[in-house]
């Protein structure tokens, strides 16, 4: 499946555990200023993503790739929305006496129009999950309303791009919340440099790479292989052995669906035999030590992204 080959290959390259370590990623303590800067970090990334694409590809390129008018004009509108979000959040932070973060340097695995549109769908979905997951931690009612207003626009972006790719624009009756470290782990894969006057209290989990497949993932049918995940788990925590219970936890809507993994004989890969029922749309998966506690302290890798 094209989605899988583009996204999972990039995320696999974006992270690696370079040396044996033993540490836990912990749940961060946040306030409204941190959350607004978290949102601004994501909006800068999205703005740059669309800016680059609109500079590198023409309206004719999109038409030739099968995205007829008014698709290009609507992409320009999405870029305008992301730019507006950047300006709004920067202004709100400054007005509150909080130093706003700045744009960093990014790289995106975009080689043609199709890879751009595919990644657009993913990034917009992650944006929805980020705002949704952060909402419960926002204390100021005005900030919560503003974040909700941005969230609904990001959700419309997601639906539009998914429909343009021939995917269901609303595959799940619930969107999927992600926590701060989970989103940071995904966003950090695209950040290649730069410096910010703001240090956010987030930590990235080790990467979770999916073996690329040419087939669509289907719940109650498809197996999933996590390339090198057993070896990476042992590097993250040397107490993990072949017999240590580890679970692939699929986040889909408001459900968290754990499935035991096993080591593929003769390899350093983990594998599950079947994606659980209930996983649909843009689904996130992490590896966890626990079958019931899916907090940051239990997660050992991820998230990875797959379309089910």
């Amino acid at each position: 499946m094209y989605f899988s080959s583009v996204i999972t290959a990039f995320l696999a390259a974006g992270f690696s555990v370079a040396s044996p370590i033993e540490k836990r990623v912990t749940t961060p303590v946040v306030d409204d200023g941190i959350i607004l800067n978290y949102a601004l970090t994501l909006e800068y990334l999205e703005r740059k993503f669309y800016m680059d694409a609109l500079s590198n590809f023409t309206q004719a390129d999109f038409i030739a790739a099968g995205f007829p008018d008014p698709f290009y004009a609507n992409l320009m509108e999405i870029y305008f929305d992301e730019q507006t979000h950047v300006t709004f959040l920067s202004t709100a932070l400054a007005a509150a006496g909080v130093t706003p973060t700045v744009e960093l340097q990014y790289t995106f695995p975009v080689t043609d129009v199709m890879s751009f549109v595919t990644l657009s769908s993913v990034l917009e979905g992650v944006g929805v999950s980020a705002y949704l997951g952060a909402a419960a931690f926002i204390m100021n009612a005005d900030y919560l309303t503003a974040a909700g207003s941005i969230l609904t626009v990001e959700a419309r972006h997601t639906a539009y791009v998914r429909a343009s790719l021939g995917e269901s624009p609303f595959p799940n009756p619930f969107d999927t919340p992600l926590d701060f470290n989970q989103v940071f782990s995904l966003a950090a894969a695209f950040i290649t440099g730069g410096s910010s006057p703001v240090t956010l209290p987030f930590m990235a989990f080790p990467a979770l790479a999916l073996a690329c497949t040419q087939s669509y993932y289907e719940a109650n049918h498809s197996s999933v292989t996590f390339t090198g995940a057993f070896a990476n788990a042992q590097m993250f925590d040397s107490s993990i052995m072949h017999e240590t219970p580890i679970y692939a936890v699929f986040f889909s809507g408001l459900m968290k669906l754990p499935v035991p993994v096993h080591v593929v004989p003769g390899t350093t890969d983990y594998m599950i035999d079947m994606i659980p029922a209930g996983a649909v749309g843009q689904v996130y998966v992490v590896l966890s030590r626990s079958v019931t506690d899916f907090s940051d302290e239990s997660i050992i890798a991820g998230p990875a992204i797959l379309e089910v």
Side-chain angles (χ1 to χ4, degrees):
M1 182 179 176
Y2 191 76
F3 178 100
S4 300
S5 63
V6 171
I7 303 306
T8 63
F10 182 78
L11 292 179
F15 285 128
S16 63
V17 180
S19 59
I21 57 173
E22 293 188 27
K23 72 173 186 177
R24 301 289 192 270
V25 174
T26 57
T27 302
V29 176
V30 299
D31 58 28
D32 285 353
I34 290 172
I35 295 173
L36 291 184
N37 261 316
Y38 163 78
L40 180 56
T41 299
L42 301 177
E43 295 293 349
Y44 271 126
L45 188 152
E46 288 186 304
R47 183 184 73 170
K48 180 62 172 174
F49 174 69
Y50 286 104
M51 180 188 300
D52 286 353
L54 292 170
S55 298
N56 294 332
F57 302 118
T58 66
Q59 181 181 22
D61 293 329
F62 283 94
I63 293 173
F67 298 96
D69 288 339
F71 188 78
Y72 185 80
N74 286 335
L75 286 181
M76 294 180 67
E77 183 63 31
I78 292 175
Y79 167 68
F80 174 79
D81 290 347
E82 307 301 357
Q83 171 59 51
T84 302
H85 295 164
V86 166
T87 302
F88 176 83
L89 291 167
S90 298
T91 302
L93 282 160
V98 179
T99 301
T101 192
V102 297
E103 184 174 277
L104 300 175
Q105 297 168 6
Y106 314 96
T107 187
F108 304 102
V110 171
T111 57
D112 54 23
V113 166
M114 183 58 73
S115 61
F116 162 74
V117 179
T118 301
L119 186 52
S120 170
S121 174
V122 174
L123 292 180
E124 294 292 350
V126 171
V128 170
S129 294
Y131 278 99
L132 188 57
F137 298 91
I138 299 174
M139 301 303 295
N140 181 292
D142 291 336
Y143 293 162
L144 179 59
T145 299
S149 182
I150 294 174
L151 166 59
T152 57
V153 172
E154 299 289 351
R156 285 195 287 277
H157 293 171
T158 302
Y160 177 73
V161 177
R162 286 182 61 87
S164 299
L165 286 166
E167 302 285 355
S168 170
F170 30 76
N172 195 316
F174 299 96
D175 282 318
T176 305
L178 291 178
D179 73 21
F180 299 104
N181 286 330
Q182 291 160 3
V183 173
F184 180 74
S185 298
L186 293 169
F190 302 101
I191 300 173
T192 57
S195 62
S196 170
V198 177
T199 300
L200 297 175
F202 307 132
M203 303 171 68
F205 297 104
L208 182 60
L210 307 181
C212 292
T213 174
Q214 297 304 310
S215 302
Y216 281 83
Y217 288 115
E218 297 179 41
N220 271 336
H221 178 74
S222 303
S223 63
V224 180
T225 299
F226 303 98
T227 306
F230 174 58
N232 289 340
Q234 289 188 307
M235 295 173 71
F236 185 72
D237 183 345
S238 60
S239 70
I240 293 176
M241 302 298 175
H242 275 77
E243 64 274 14
T244 303
I246 299 293
Y247 302 89
V249 186
F250 290 81
F251 296 177
S252 180
L254 299 179
M255 295 189 295
K256 296 180 179 179
L257 307 167
V259 181
V261 302
H262 58 86
V263 180
V264 179
T267 77
T268 59
D269 301 343
Y270 276 135
M271 181 179 179
I272 65 163
D273 296 322
M274 189 180 299
I275 295 173
V280 62
Q282 182 163 311
V283 175
Y284 307 94
V285 58
V286 301
L287 295 184
S288 173
R289 297 179 182 85
S290 175
V291 71
T292 57
D293 174 14
F294 311 130
S295 64
D296 289 351
E297 287 75 10
S298 295
I299 293 173
I300 62 172
I305 305 174
L306 61 165
E307 180 72 20
V308 180

